Amino acid sequence: MSASLAIPSRGVVRRLSSEEASRRDLTQGPTVVVPPKHLMAKSDAHEVAESMEIARHELDEMRSAQTTPESVAESIVTDKFAFAFDIDGVLIRGGKVIPAAVEAMKMLNGENDYGIKVPYIFVTNGGGKTEQERCLQLSQQLEMEVSPGQFICGHTPMREMAERYKTVLVVGGEGEKCRHVAEGYGFKDVVTPGDIIKDNKDTTPFRKLTDEEYKNSRARNFAEVEIEAIFVFADSRDWASDQQIILDLLMSKNGRLGTRSENFDEGPPVFFSHNDMVWSTSHDLTRIGMGALRVSLEAMYKAVTGKDLQTTAFGKPQIGTFEFATRLLQQWRKDTHGINCPPDTVYFVGDTPESDIRGTNEFNQHAENTWYSILVRTGVFQAGTTPRFAPKATVDNVLDAVKHGMEREYRRLLKEKVLSATAVEDDIIE
C-alpha cells in the first residue's frame, strides 16, 4: 500500500505555533499550525498537512488545470485511499478530545503494522468560525500538526457565492465571528442582526444589545439598504430575534427592511450552512441544531403567510460538501502523484446517521470513486438503536474506524496480489 509523495515547491508553507498564531496570521498564505513541541522537529503529521494545504490553495485559486507536480520524492504516504472525519462526536465531544482520536491520528501518521501513512481531511457541519480558527483549535486539542487546507466546514462551499451576492445578512455564531468568516470568503457588504437592531431598537422588542454588541455593530440606515441574500453560518444564539429579522426580510420588497411585499414573494433567498437537527455536546443527551431552526422558520413563515418557504442547506448530507471534498483530494493526489483523479476509496467517519452516513451513501451512488461510510458510537448515534441510514460499518470509536479501513485495504491488496499471481501462472501454463 506504499506510494510516493511529492511536496510541491510552489510557495513556502509557513509553520506557526498553535499557541501564538492569530486568525490573521493564518490568512497570509499556506500555513501549517504546529504544537510548540513540534516547532523545531517536525512530527509525523507534517507531510500530509503541508501537501493538503498547498492543494487547497491551488483549488481556491483555480489553478488546478495548469499545475503539475515538479518532483516526486520517495515516501510512505499512500495515494490509494484517504479518510474524512466529522469532528464533533467523532474526535471531540463537549470541547474535550475523545481518547481514541489521538491514537487514531497516530495510526494514520505511520504508527501501524502496514508501514504507511494515510492522508486525511476534516469535514464538519460545525460553523461560525473560519477554517483557520478550527485549525488552531484542533491542533491544540489533538496536539499535532494540521493545516487550514484540511478543513471543510458546513459553510466552506458558500465562498463560491461571494460573487453572486453583494449585500448579505449573516446569522448565528458568537459576536462578530460570522461576519469575519463571510468577509474572509469575499462577501463585500456583510450585515449582522446586531447592525439591524442598532439601527432600530424596536425591531426585536425583547432583545437589547449589550454594550459590547452595540459597539461592534455597524451603524447604517437600513431604509436605504437592499439585502440580497440571508446566510445562516452557525447556530443562532437568539432564535426569537434572528427569526424575527429573517421573517421581516422574507416578507419585504426586495430585501428592504420596513417594507412588505403584497404576495410575500419578493424577499431574499435563505441559505443554511447545514441541516443537522441534533448534535453531540458535553450534555448526556443530544441538543437541537441548525436543522431545527430551519424547520421552525419554515413553519413560522407558513403560519404567517400561508405559503411554503423554500430554503437551501449546505453541509452534510448535501452533495456539494462531498463534491468539494472530492475536488480537494483530487488536487492533492494530482500534486503529489501526478494522477488527476481522487483516491480510489474515501472512508468517511461520522456519528450522525442523518447527515454523515446519509450524505456519504448518497454521494457514493454517483461518485467516480468509492465513498465508504463508517458510523461511530461516541456521538449522536447510540448503541441499541437502529440508524435510519445504514452505514457500511458500525464501530465503537474512531480508532476502530481507522483500523477497519486499513484492514479492509490490506485485504484488498492481498486479494489483488493473489489474482495477479494466478493470472501469471495461467499464462505460463498456456
Side-chain angles (χ1 to χ4, degrees):
M1 290 193 291
S2 62
S4 57
L5 173 73
I7 301 296
S9 61
R10 295 178 297 275
V12 176
V13 179
R14 299 175 306 148
R15 297 169 58 77
L16 300 179
S17 168
S18 60
E19 294 185 358
E20 298 178 1
S22 68
R23 179 178 62 87
R24 180 177 177 81
D25 290 334
L26 271 66
T27 62
Q28 306 303 308
T31 306
V32 170
V33 174
V34 185
K37 65 181 180 180
H38 295 315
L39 275 175
M40 299 304 295
K42 295 180 179 179
S43 75
D44 292 334
H46 85 273
E47 222 170 5
V48 170
E50 287 186 4
S51 59
M52 204 68 74
E53 174 74 346
I54 290 173
R56 176 62 167 271
H57 274 262
E58 292 180 342
L59 197 63
D60 287 346
E61 295 171 12
M62 302 299 290
R63 293 192 285 124
S64 59
Q66 290 77 37
T67 57
T68 56
E70 297 176 3
S71 62
V72 176
E74 188 63 26
S75 180
I76 58 172
V77 180
T78 182
D79 73 310
K80 302 300 182 184
F81 66 104
F83 276 83
F85 297 99
D86 181 33
I87 296 179
D88 294 313
V90 176
L91 305 175
I92 307 294
R93 180 162 183 163
K96 297 181 180 180
V97 176
I98 295 172
V102 176
E103 296 304 312
M105 292 298 108
K106 290 180 180 179
M107 179 169 284
L108 291 174
N109 287 313
E111 293 187 22
N112 55 68
D113 296 334
Y114 308 106
I116 63 168
K117 293 182 181 181
V118 184
Y120 50 90
I121 58 176
F122 307 104
V123 184
T124 174
N125 276 346
K129 298 178 181 178
T130 64
E131 291 80 0
Q132 289 80 12
E133 286 179 284
R134 292 305 299 257
C135 176
L136 283 170
Q137 186 178 33
L138 195 62
S139 175
Q140 293 170 355
Q141 290 170 323
L142 294 178
E143 296 187 357
M144 65 177 236
E145 294 174 275
V146 293
S147 68
Q150 292 173 281
F151 285 79
I152 300 176
C153 300
H155 47 59
T156 299
M158 288 182 176
R159 67 174 62 203
E160 299 176 348
M161 306 181 76
E163 296 300 320
R164 187 185 308 178
Y165 301 108
K166 180 178 181 293
T167 301
V168 300
L169 171 70
V170 295
V171 176
E174 301 173 357
E176 294 285 289
K177 288 186 176 181
C178 283
R179 194 199 307 264
H180 295 154
V181 173
E183 290 176 341
Y185 286 171
F187 286 97
K188 298 177 180 61
D189 185 17
V190 181
V191 174
T192 69
D195 298 345
I196 294 170
I197 298 171
K198 184 173 185 175
D199 179 55
N200 184 354
K201 61 182 177 59
D202 295 325
T203 300
T204 53
F206 306 112
R207 167 81 160 91
K208 306 302 179 185
L209 297 180
T210 65
D211 291 342
E212 182 178 2
E213 289 172 334
Y214 190 87
K215 176 183 176 181
N216 290 330
S217 297
R218 299 174 184 176
R220 60 195 303 178
N221 181 7
F222 282 98
E224 302 175 352
V225 175
E226 290 189 358
I227 294 175
E228 300 173 15
I230 302 166
F231 291 91
V232 183
F233 269 38
D235 287 304
S236 169
R237 267 54 176 179
D238 189 330
W239 278 37
S241 60
D242 286 348
Q243 286 190 107
Q244 178 67 72
I245 290 170
I246 293 173
L247 185 64
D248 282 343
L249 286 171
L250 292 173
M251 299 171 62
S252 71
K253 295 181 67 67
N254 301 317
R256 191 180 289 265
L257 287 164
T259 66
R260 277 288 186 267
S261 168
E262 293 182 5
N263 297 316
F264 308 123
D265 58 0
E266 301 174 73
V270 185
F271 302 95
F272 291 82
S273 65
H274 66 84
N275 196 38
D276 282 353
M277 289 294 296
V278 296
W279 65 298
S280 177
T281 71
S282 56
H283 196 279
D284 291 340
L285 303 176
T286 57
R287 305 288 86 187
I288 56 175
M290 190 181 298
L293 174 64
R294 184 187 184 192
V295 170
S296 174
L297 180 65
E298 291 174 348
M300 183 175 63
Y301 182 84
K302 176 78 171 182
V304 173
T305 68
K307 294 188 173 185
D308 292 326
L309 174 64
Q310 300 299 320
T311 61
T312 302
F314 290 83
K316 302 166 292 183
Q318 279 62 43
I319 204 167
T321 294
F322 292 89
E323 290 175 335
F324 191 92
T326 298
R327 292 198 296 272
L328 173 60
L329 290 169
Q330 178 166 332
Q331 182 64 47
W332 172 85
R333 197 182 193 203
K334 181 179 180 182
D335 280 347
T336 57
H337 296 84
I339 304 173
N340 194 17
C341 60
D344 299 339
T345 304
V346 180
Y347 292 93
F348 195 105
V349 185
D351 71 309
T352 309
E354 288 73 18
S355 58
D356 299 324
I357 304 308
R358 177 185 178 183
T360 305
N361 291 350
E362 291 180 354
F363 184 65
N364 180 61
Q365 292 178 7
H366 72 271
E368 61 181 286
N369 60 342
T370 297
W371 280 71
Y372 186 99
S373 56
I374 304 178
L375 181 64
V376 295
R377 298 186 177 98
T378 51
V380 170
F381 173 72
Q382 296 296 323
T385 62
T386 301
R388 181 180 174 189
F389 299 93
K392 297 294 184 182
T394 301
V395 297
D396 287 337
N397 55 53
V398 65
L399 177 59
D400 290 338
V402 169
K403 289 178 178 178
H404 175 83
M406 295 185 74
E407 289 170 0
R408 183 173 180 270
E409 290 297 317
Y410 181 65
R411 291 193 300 269
R412 176 188 297 178
L413 179 62
L414 287 179
K415 183 178 180 180
E416 290 176 355
K417 288 184 175 181
V418 169
L419 291 175
S420 177
T422 302
V424 171
E425 290 177 4
D426 290 343
D427 289 341
I428 293 175
I429 294 173
E430 290 180 2

